[in-house]
């Protein structure tokens, strides 16, 4: 049974990881209104196979309440769907860094966000 938690080790926190993720050699996939930016990096000892981050620009929502709601929806959808990445576990010694960026300036229902996130994660898994 998959674990439906999202612990600190599964999140991108280091500046170096963020810079590596948004450098020019990362890939991008969009399922509107979510864009995924992802790249591979060397896996550290004890690091998970996939690390993620969520970003909602101030350009989309001026009010922090709405930005926080969208971030919460994205994290919740990822938490329920992260077991799709279990097929990517290999002995290659790499970690997949993924950033989910919100692109629309309107709110969506949580179920719709989850459906779009599922499509996006499936497309990322197809790439690998």
């Amino acid at each position: 049974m998959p674990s439906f938690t999202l612990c600190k080790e599964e999140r991108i926190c280091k500046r170096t990881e963020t810079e590596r993720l948004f450098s020019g050699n990362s890939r991008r996939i969009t399922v509107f209104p979510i864009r995924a930016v992802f790249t591979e990096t060397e896996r550290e000892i004890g690091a998970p196979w996939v690390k993620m981050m969520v970003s909602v620009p101030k350009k989309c929502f001026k009010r922090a309440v709405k930005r926080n709601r969208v971030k919460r929806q994205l994290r919740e959808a990822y938490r329920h769907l992260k077991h799709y990445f279990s097929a990517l576990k290999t002995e290659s010694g790499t970690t997949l860094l993924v950033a989910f960026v919100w692109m629309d300036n309107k709110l969506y229902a949580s179920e719709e966000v989850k459906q779009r996130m599922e499509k996006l994660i499936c497309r990322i898994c197809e790439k690998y």
Side-chain angles (χ1 to χ4, degrees):
M1 185 166 152
S3 172
F4 293 112
T5 61
L6 186 60
C7 58
K8 173 100 170 155
E9 291 82 28
E10 296 179 58
R11 297 182 188 193
I12 297 174
C13 298
K14 296 180 182 176
R15 179 181 289 238
T16 56
E17 291 175 339
T18 306
E19 289 173 355
R20 189 175 302 137
L21 181 61
F22 288 104
S23 67
N25 59 356
S26 58
R27 295 180 177 176
R28 291 161 175 77
I29 294 178
T30 303
V31 175
F32 195 79
I34 308 167
R35 170 179 286 155
V37 180
F38 57 97
T39 189
E40 282 185 318
T41 185
E42 299 88 28
R43 194 163 148 260
E44 298 173 1
I45 298 172
W49 299 99
V50 179
K51 294 179 87 173
M52 63 86 68
M53 70 177 290
V54 173
S55 175
V56 180
K58 200 173 190 178
K59 180 179 172 182
C60 294
F61 297 108
K62 298 297 182 193
R63 303 274 177 172
V65 173
K66 291 183 180 181
R67 287 196 307 272
N68 291 339
R69 176 184 174 207
V70 173
K71 286 191 274 189
R72 194 168 42 250
Q73 286 177 322
L74 290 171
R75 282 193 303 264
E76 184 72 8
Y78 174 79
R79 191 176 67 82
H80 284 285
L81 300 169
K82 71 178 182 176
H83 64 275
Y84 286 124
F85 286 122
S86 63
L88 298 178
K89 291 183 182 178
T90 62
E91 298 299 323
S92 63
T94 60
T95 298
L96 183 66
L97 302 176
V98 183
F100 298 103
V101 182
W102 189 261
M103 298 173 25
D104 198 8
N105 58 359
K106 72 174 202 171
L107 298 172
Y108 289 83
S110 295
E111 191 59 38
E112 190 171 355
V113 171
K114 189 174 178 180
Q115 290 172 355
R116 306 265 173 107
M117 180 72 83
E118 184 174 13
K119 287 180 188 175
L120 190 59
I121 289 175
C122 288
R123 288 181 59 191
I124 292 171
C125 289
E126 287 173 5
K127 295 284 185 185
Y128 289 96

